[in-house]
Amino acid sequence: MVMLRTIFFSFVFMPWVPSSTGRQYSSKELAINFDDPPERQRGHDHRLDFMSADTPDDTASPAVGDPSDLPTCLLCVCLTGSVYCEEVVPDMTTVPALPKETAYLYARYNKIKKITVKDFADILTLRRIDLTGNVISEIEDGAFSKLHQLEELSLAENRLVKLPVLPTKLISFNANHNRLRTKGVKANAFRKLNRLIFLYLAHNELEAVPQIPETVRILHLQNNNITNISDETFCKGNSTHYIRENMIEIRLDGNPVFLAQYPNSFICLKSLPIGRYY
């Protein structure tokens, strides 16, 4: 009997001992797994969590800020000596800071509102400025005073009611499609511009023709509010021998002035102005 009990114990109970021991170990192991954080089990470096918390998400959309806070050559196309800032998004409301060597600036069709003395004070190499199609309503006196090399200036399609002092070496000046009135254009605004060839003042509210330098060849004054002219407007009334050699085109169409009433005003011209004669 003793022998049978021993054999029975060996075959029935002994196999359960390692099995029971194994289950206890697994339970202990499970307890450890639940008690310890998953990162520690995988050997996770918690410093990475700290770093990732401070690192911005590159996939997030960048906030749209003031373009004046960004370097000009990120907003515009900068080539050697030339800067192209046309229809900038987000809206460009001030003249951008320019590289020192800039000679040509094209900042057309933006939302620039004002030109200050500081805008071009340090860019003495400028030869052409094109600010067509902005909303400029004010230009501070002296804004262009240091630009001794400036030859071409376009302020067309803005909201100007008066003109600033212009650089004396201008060859071309365009202020078409503004709100200029005669009181906003000084009598000597163009007198000292002895290199000026192209003068565009069409589609404004001028009541009279300003004094025009002898060098001007093309003069556009159409669609203003000019009501009369005199013998001195284009010619020298006290001289019948004077010929205005350079002037080849004058446009006065779209004005209320009746040109046929002023025949002596054109005797010095090689061709009659374009305008209303009857």
Side-chain angles (χ1 to χ4, degrees):
M1 277 302 286
V2 174
M3 181 62 69
L4 288 174
R5 288 179 182 176
T6 301
I7 293 171
F8 180 80
F9 178 82
S10 299
F11 282 92
V12 175
F13 290 101
M14 286 301 290
W16 288 94
V17 173
S19 177
S20 175
T21 303
R23 262 197 289 276
Q24 290 175 1
Y25 180 78
S26 297
S27 299
K28 184 177 181 181
E29 184 179 44
L30 284 173
I32 292 173
N33 287 341
F34 281 114
D35 290 340
D36 289 344
E39 295 85 358
R40 187 180 301 171
Q41 298 169 31
R42 295 192 298 268
H44 185 79
D45 189 347
H46 290 274
R47 290 175 296 178
L48 296 177
D49 290 341
F50 177 80
M51 292 170 63
S52 62
D54 291 341
T55 303
D57 184 3
D58 292 336
T59 62
S61 299
V64 177
D66 187 344
S68 62
D69 295 334
L70 297 173
T72 298
C73 292
L74 289 181
L75 291 168
C76 311
V77 176
C78 295
L79 303 175
T80 304
S82 299
V83 177
Y84 299 85
C85 301
E86 301 188 349
E87 299 181 276
V88 174
V89 178
D91 291 342
M92 177 178 285
T93 58
T94 59
V95 175
L98 301 173
K100 293 279 186 181
E101 71 280 3
T102 302
Y104 303 97
L105 170 63
Y106 303 90
R108 296 178 289 206
Y109 303 104
N110 291 294
K111 301 295 182 183
I112 298 172
K113 301 176 182 178
K114 180 179 179 181
I115 300 175
T116 70
V117 173
K118 295 180 181 179
D119 288 335
F120 303 117
D122 299 325
I123 317 297
L124 308 182
T125 54
L126 279 165
R127 296 181 61 187
R128 179 185 298 161
I129 297 174
D130 192 342
L131 295 168
T132 299
N134 282 275
V135 291
I136 300 168
S137 59
E138 181 183 356
I139 301 176
E140 291 183 357
D141 288 334
F144 305 117
S145 61
K146 295 184 178 181
L147 303 181
H148 302 302
Q149 297 185 46
L150 192 66
E151 296 178 338
E152 298 179 50
L153 175 60
S154 179
L155 300 171
E157 299 177 43
N158 279 283
R159 300 178 182 177
L160 293 172
V161 296
K162 67 176 184 177
L163 293 180
V165 176
L166 299 171
T168 57
K169 290 188 178 181
L170 280 182
I171 294 174
S172 175
F173 177 66
N174 189 343
N176 285 343
H177 293 277
N178 275 277
R179 301 173 182 176
L180 295 172
R181 304 189 69 176
T182 296
K183 66 179 181 180
V185 181
K186 295 179 181 178
N188 61 350
F190 308 108
R191 183 188 297 172
K192 295 182 179 180
L193 277 59
N194 54 18
R195 297 182 61 191
L196 191 65
I197 296 175
F198 307 98
L199 180 56
Y200 304 105
L201 298 170
H203 300 275
N204 279 284
E205 300 172 21
L206 297 172
E207 298 92 356
V209 178
Q211 294 184 17
I212 309 300
E214 292 284 334
T215 54
V216 171
R217 296 175 64 83
I218 307 294
L219 174 63
H220 285 188
L221 289 164
Q222 67 267 30
N223 297 307
N224 276 278
N225 195 32
I226 298 170
T227 55
N228 62 78
I229 56 177
S230 72
D231 294 352
E232 301 287 337
T233 301
F234 303 113
C235 303
K236 295 179 180 179
N238 58 355
S239 174
T240 56
H241 301 289
Y242 169 71
I243 301 296
R244 191 156 193 151
E245 294 285 349
N246 293 318
M247 189 74 76
I248 61 173
E249 180 179 293
I250 300 175
R251 288 194 59 179
L252 287 167
D253 45 311
N255 284 278
V257 62
F258 185 45
L259 297 179
Q261 293 180 348
Y262 308 94
N264 293 332
S265 298
F266 316 123
I267 58 174
C268 68
L269 301 175
K270 293 181 177 181
S271 61
L272 291 174
I274 300 169
R276 178 170 169 255
Y277 287 91
Y278 55 88

